[in-house]
Amino acid sequence: MNLKFLMPVEMISEENCIEKNKEIFTRYGKKCLIVTGSRSAKLCGALDDVISVLQESEVEYAIFDKVEQNPSVTTCYQGGLEAAAMGAEYIIGIGGGSPLDAAKAIAVYGANPTQDKHCVYEGWNNQALPIILIGTTAGTGSEVTPYSVLTHDETGMKKSFCAKDTFASVALGDAKYQRSLSYHFTVSTALDAICHGAESYFNLKSDAISDMFALECIREAIETLIQIEGKNDISHAQRVRLYHASLYGGVAISRTGTALCHCMGYPLSEELQIPHGFATAIYLPAFVQFSSMFDAQKTTRLFQCLNMNQETFATIIYRLCDVDLSAMTLEQKERWLKRFDGHPNMAKNLGSITGEEITEILEGALKRYHGEHLL
Ligand code: NAP
Ligand code: FE
């Protein structure tokens, strides 16, 4: 059997990771742009830790803190132009998936300031600037994936791009930065990780390596979610487990990409502002049920590994999703169904899916999450 195994990101997850790995911040140059959201990088302490190491190492820096949730192409383009104008030699992203994905796009724009903003989808000339990522949520695994998911300004739709040079050079993780993350976002991001695991596991592109990471991702995340459900007091050890689950899921989707849940979840975030993890996980039990029809053996292996049956798994996932679809309209339902049918992600599912089956999955979510007016 052939085996190709590329893991280009140097991933270091440990306590006080920034302080302990100071030399990394001078490895790529003496000038950098720090990319963050509006609040969390400061709130969780990671930004101050980075600044103190940069000052000590005499690295010049500027901060771009305009990244919104589901970051737009235009925001990233603006960040890229700022990086180029200051002569940044590398980019540091601090935050959840939104700032980390934005940092990847900014690294591309920063190295290609004369190209227009569509170059992230159409191709760029110069290699992206080196990227250091520091994750503050546990779910997207963006630290170890080459993907950057941006919201297109004209269409309002989320679309990803990736290349070898959008893998981070280094990712630093310390679960202490998640202490300030609310219960709501902790659960949502952990569900995102479980979706990555499941969509990679039941994926036409899956292989022995992605399966290994996918199974470990799902097991670690669901066992921890069961422990923390309904509790605001989440221990450091539990945060570490969730962070590692997120990284395993990231490695798994780096090899396979995602499938049905992500494709059907995107419009819920774009138009109803439902957090990404909840938006994808409301379809997860139906996706597993659909996939089980095409690979009974893999399904058995999954639930043996989780030490629970499929019904229990579905009950737990449905219960954890904090979603309300009462504001959804008939126009959205019809438009989204057209978008899902034939979407490239659907081609990654283990078997071909019909329009009726997609409608059934969406309507199942409507029934469960206050969307009965659309049935
Ligand atoms: P996020 O959108 O980065 O952040 C969600 C919220 O949590 C924001 O309000 C953020 O505040 C806050 N937050 C983040 N870390 C915090 C902390 N430690 N303490 C307190 N608040 C904190 O959430 P995410 O779920 O991690 O990322 C979702 C994005 O990632 C989506 O755009 C999704 O499409 C993308 N994604 C990418 C990949 C990939 O492979 N690249 C995979 C899956 C999903 P601030 O705004 O102030 O930062
Ligand atoms: Fe995701």
Side-chain angles (χ1 to χ4, degrees):
M1 189 175 94
N2 294 338
L3 192 63
K4 287 190 184 167
F5 196 4
L6 174 72
M7 296 243 314
V9 183
E10 180 181 354
M11 176 70 229
I12 304 169
S13 169
E14 62 180 359
E15 256 181 281
N16 302 324
C17 61
I18 293 171
E19 172 72 17
K20 281 189 193 146
N21 296 283
K22 284 180 194 157
E23 73 288 352
I24 286 168
F25 293 87
T26 46
R27 196 186 280 173
Y28 305 101
K30 283 292 209 176
K31 252 187 203 183
C32 68
L33 183 71
I34 306 174
V35 176
T36 72
S38 59
R39 285 180 65 242
S40 69
K42 181 107 193 109
L43 186 72
C44 73
L47 180 62
D48 286 345
D49 289 349
V50 166
I51 288 175
S52 111
V53 166
L54 293 178
Q55 285 174 343
E56 192 188 317
S57 317
E58 296 180 350
V59 175
E60 200 183 309
Y61 67 90
I63 300 172
F64 181 78
D65 62 1
K66 299 188 180 68
V67 181
E68 63 279 60
Q69 287 183 53
N70 309 301
S72 72
V73 171
T74 300
T75 301
C76 296
Y77 188 60
Q78 189 193 338
L81 294 185
E82 287 188 26
M86 72 171 284
E89 292 166 277
Y90 72 98
I91 304 295
I92 302 176
I94 308 175
S98 298
L100 302 194
D101 285 2
K104 295 174 190 176
I106 289 171
V108 172
Y109 292 133
N112 296 280
T114 57
Q115 289 194 252
D116 77 17
K117 62 183 177 186
H118 302 293
C119 74
V120 289
Y121 298 115
E122 291 165 4
W124 55 90
N125 299 327
N126 303 319
Q127 188 168 349
L129 299 174
I131 307 162
I132 298 178
L133 297 180
I134 298 151
T136 66
T137 62
T140 71
S142 180
E143 295 91 327
V144 292
T145 76
Y147 309 120
S148 169
V149 189
L150 304 184
T151 303
H152 214 269
D153 300 83
E154 287 84 39
T155 60
M157 279 159 57
K158 285 166 81 86
K159 189 175 172 192
S160 64
F161 73 92
C162 66
K164 274 191 183 158
D165 52 338
T166 52
F167 271 113
S169 297
V170 187
L172 295 169
D174 185 338
K176 76 176 175 192
Y177 297 135
Q178 291 165 41
R179 272 183 215 144
S180 49
L181 191 66
S182 65
Y183 173 78
H184 182 76
F185 273 114
T186 301
V187 173
S188 175
T189 50
L191 288 170
D192 185 21
I194 295 179
C195 288
H196 294 162
E199 288 172 76
S200 174
Y201 186 71
F202 291 117
N203 191 303
L204 282 181
K205 288 185 151 184
S206 68
D207 59 21
I209 293 170
S210 61
D211 281 358
M212 194 169 68
F213 280 97
L215 284 175
E216 198 55 8
C217 158
I218 304 169
R219 196 180 62 76
E220 288 281 321
I222 198 138
E223 281 181 14
T224 314
L225 278 175
I226 291 169
Q227 288 171 4
I228 68 169
E229 188 178 1
K231 297 185 186 137
N232 271 318
D233 188 18
I234 302 168
S235 73
H236 183 75
Q238 287 164 334
R239 296 254 185 226
V240 170
R241 279 188 87 187
L242 289 177
Y243 192 61
H244 290 181
S246 159
L247 299 176
Y248 301 148
V251 174
I253 59 167
S254 291
R255 298 179 68 77
T256 61
T258 53
L260 180 146
C261 305
H262 272 65
C263 147
M264 291 184 66
Y266 282 158
L268 299 180
S269 300
E270 292 159 6
E271 297 184 38
L272 301 177
Q273 285 70 52
I274 294 173
H276 172 70
F278 290 138
T280 51
I282 59 169
Y283 307 114
L284 181 58
F287 169 69
V288 172
Q289 173 60 34
F290 170 78
S291 305
S292 69
M293 297 190 300
F294 301 95
D295 199 330
Q297 218 178 339
K298 260 191 134 169
T299 311
T300 304
R301 185 173 164 216
L302 169 65
F303 290 105
Q304 268 169 358
C305 167
L306 300 185
N307 200 20
M308 66 176 70
N309 63 32
Q310 202 172 328
E311 207 183 324
T312 308
F313 175 78
T315 308
I316 294 168
I317 299 291
Y318 282 138
R319 200 170 62 213
L320 287 165
C321 287
D322 183 6
V323 170
D324 184 342
L325 298 177
S326 56
M328 194 171 143
T329 65
L330 195 56
E331 186 276 325
Q332 284 172 320
K333 179 185 171 189
E334 285 167 0
R335 183 162 44 83
W336 295 353
L337 282 172
K338 279 195 201 126
R339 169 174 167 185
F340 301 152
D341 203 1
H343 189 286
N345 266 33
M346 291 296 189
K348 307 246 195 72
N349 296 330
L350 290 188
S352 72
I353 190 161
T354 63
E356 289 76 47
E357 285 168 320
I358 295 172
T359 306
E360 206 178 298
I361 291 175
L362 181 63
E363 292 192 338
L366 288 168
K367 231 177 261 163
R368 213 169 281 277
Y369 297 105
H370 315 294
E372 296 88 348
H373 59 294
L374 301 177
L375 296 174

